[in-house]
Amino acid sequence: MNRPFSAKDHLPAQLFSVAQIRELDRQTIAAQGDDGFTLMHEAATSALSVLQHHWVDARKITVIAGPGNNGGDAFILAALAFECGIRVRVFTLGDLTKQTSAAQKALNMAVQTGISIERLSTASDLNGDVLVDGLLGTGLSSEPRDEFAQAIAAINAADIPVLALDVPSGLNADSGVVYGPVVKADVTITFIGVKRGLLTASGPDVCGALELAELSVIDSAHANIVADAERISWARLHDEMRGLAPRRGNAHKGHFGHVLVIGGESGFGGAAMMAVEAAGRIGAGLVSCATRPEHVPALLTRRPEVMALGVNSGLELAPAIQRATILAIGPGLGQTSWSELLLQQVLGAQQPVVLDADALNLLASPGWHCEFSERVAVLTPHPGEAARMLGMTVAEVQTDRFASARLLAQRYQAVVVLKGQGSLIADPSGRVALCTDGNPGMSCGGMGDVLTGVIAALLAQGLNAWDAACLGVCCHSAAADVAVADAGIRGLLATDLMPILRELIN
């Protein structure tokens, strides 16, 4: 098996909010003693280097510059490219009378090299080997309109490779939300630090390959500003040895925990079975499953290693809970009276617990308020479940995934995994990690059930809730990346991950 590397593993661990990047920018400009032109020039120089690296044979480029500092970067890039012998056309739009002094200097620099600045009128104006997007930058907070929306449509229709400066125009760099038209870049070079929205929600869909130019930000600025979130991946956690300790030769199954998976209402037995198998493949010493009696034969046929218990009531579940060291509830649980009775037993227990799927939907129902301040707990909602738990719409959750994950962790006093592209892990203190492993092939039934078993098994083997959630999410996502590399995005099944999970955890 090839070692899985995220396409973002060349990026640093620190992820920043837009406000933090602006403060790093402000402090550096103040220390440099100018209006920001020096840093702008450095950004443009880095961007030209990236352009020439990705498109070695580019001889003609088209640059679209807006009226802000993002446009200033674009004007300087155009001037530098022209001086290198590249043919350059520059189009602009917006009110240039509102430019900052640095952006005005950048425009003048382009003009002084002999480049004529044109107003963008039709998509037919856009041609060349590479198109540079310097329209909007990080300041976007609403849908691009009028000539900006038309320009974005023209860029996407031009069928020319696109280099986006700092962030593709139309993408919110804080949240990864797309409000309307957005530039679909082939490469994005972002400046100073990685903006968190580039790696979650719709960010990865429109950024293309992501490059970072950290620029000459002063050390004191970085010392004063703590990154908003941490970027994690299987490769990074593996390299930092943030995983399970080696096993001793005289170990036995009792050293590696006893996971009890609870779920599988009538018709949904497969969900519990997948969680059970995942827990075993990740290395739990013992795995039990409490499910509807009719699922027991199929479960034992598929995985004879599991201790299967058919239960019809919460009272029947109680002895199994007492024997377990880790509880995992939710896969295939349903929202019936049977489901409620089992969840009540789990909520009354003391063992560490992983809650997923309908266990979360029940918690979100009236009369089920619960928090886990006195207990180790990991909650793994997808955006729909998170919305129900927070009393929001899915759109509101996705509008700021970071705030939603933090709010869930604080409200339930638990570690929370907010699943989706760029899955987030949050804890009640406000700490957030973002996983850059994973792919669209994971959009299939059963993936969440497997993740539940993975995290439960890591808890059983001694990891704390934060480390189990981080490693579990990355191992699960990286396994999907390995599977997709072998056979493609479409047709991936959750059970395809099982042998790969075992290889990765070892």
Side-chain angles (χ1 to χ4, degrees), residues 231-463:
R231 186 193 68 80
I232 59 174
S233 67
W234 182 90
R236 179 165 175 255
L237 296 182
H238 182 273
D239 289 345
E240 295 178 0
M241 294 185 288
R242 291 166 60 180
L244 295 170
R247 291 193 172 185
R248 294 180 290 109
N250 67 342
H252 59 76
K253 61 180 181 275
H255 291 139
F256 307 114
H258 180 173
V259 172
L260 172 61
V261 175
I262 303 159
E265 175 59 291
S266 296
F268 300 99
M273 293 182 199
M274 286 185 280
V276 162
E277 183 167 358
R281 292 299 185 187
I282 290 294
L286 292 166
V287 184
S288 295
C289 182
T291 186
R292 280 290 193 182
E294 64 261 33
H295 296 140
V296 170
L299 177 57
L300 291 175
T301 300
R302 179 176 178 84
R303 281 272 66 91
E305 301 88 352
V306 70
M307 292 174 283
L309 174 66
V311 296
N312 288 306
S313 70
L315 291 177
E316 292 179 6
L317 178 63
I321 288 178
Q322 292 174 3
R323 292 191 295 269
T325 58
I326 303 294
L327 309 179
I329 184 167
L333 182 67
Q335 298 182 54
T336 63
S337 57
W338 178 83
S339 315
E340 293 177 355
L341 290 170
L342 300 191
L343 182 58
Q344 287 171 355
Q345 288 288 331
V346 170
L347 295 181
Q350 297 300 315
Q351 294 98 323
V353 62
V354 182
L355 297 102
D356 182 40
D358 278 327
L360 301 176
N361 289 325
L362 287 173
L363 283 185
S365 303
W368 278 90
H369 177 72
C370 180
E371 56 90 18
F372 299 91
S373 58
E374 303 299 323
R375 187 176 181 186
V376 174
V378 179
L379 283 56
T380 62
H382 59 53
E385 291 156 353
R388 288 186 280 276
M389 295 169 75
L390 292 172
M392 297 179 176
T393 65
V394 173
E396 288 170 334
V397 168
Q398 293 292 81
T399 293
D400 192 338
R401 286 170 53 80
F402 293 87
S404 298
R406 286 187 167 108
L407 182 56
L408 276 169
Q410 185 177 46
R411 179 172 296 182
Y412 287 90
Q413 289 295 294
V415 170
V416 168
V417 176
L418 179 56
K419 294 181 285 196
Q421 182 160 241
S423 289
L424 303 179
I425 301 95
D427 74 6
S429 74
R431 176 170 49 167
V432 173
L434 184 154
C435 174
T436 49
D437 295 315
N439 62 77
M442 300 174 75
S443 303
C444 63
M447 282 291 174
D449 305 314
V450 172
L451 179 61
T452 297
V454 168
I455 295 175
L458 293 172
L459 288 171
Q461 294 172 86
L463 293 189

Side-chain angles (χ1 to χ4, degrees), residues 1-4 234 238 281-282 471 474-482 497-506:
M1 180 183 70
N2 293 325
R3 184 180 180 189
W234 182 90
H238 182 273
R281 292 299 185 187
I282 290 294
L471 181 59
C474 291
C475 189
H476 177 254
S477 298
D481 287 344
V482 172
L497 271 55
M498 299 301 180
I500 306 171
L501 288 170
R502 184 184 177 194
E503 289 192 62
L504 290 181
I505 205 61
N506 284 295

Side-chain angles (χ1 to χ4, degrees), residues 463-475:
L463 293 189
N464 62 40
W466 174 260
D467 290 338
C470 288
L471 181 59
V473 168
C474 291
C475 189

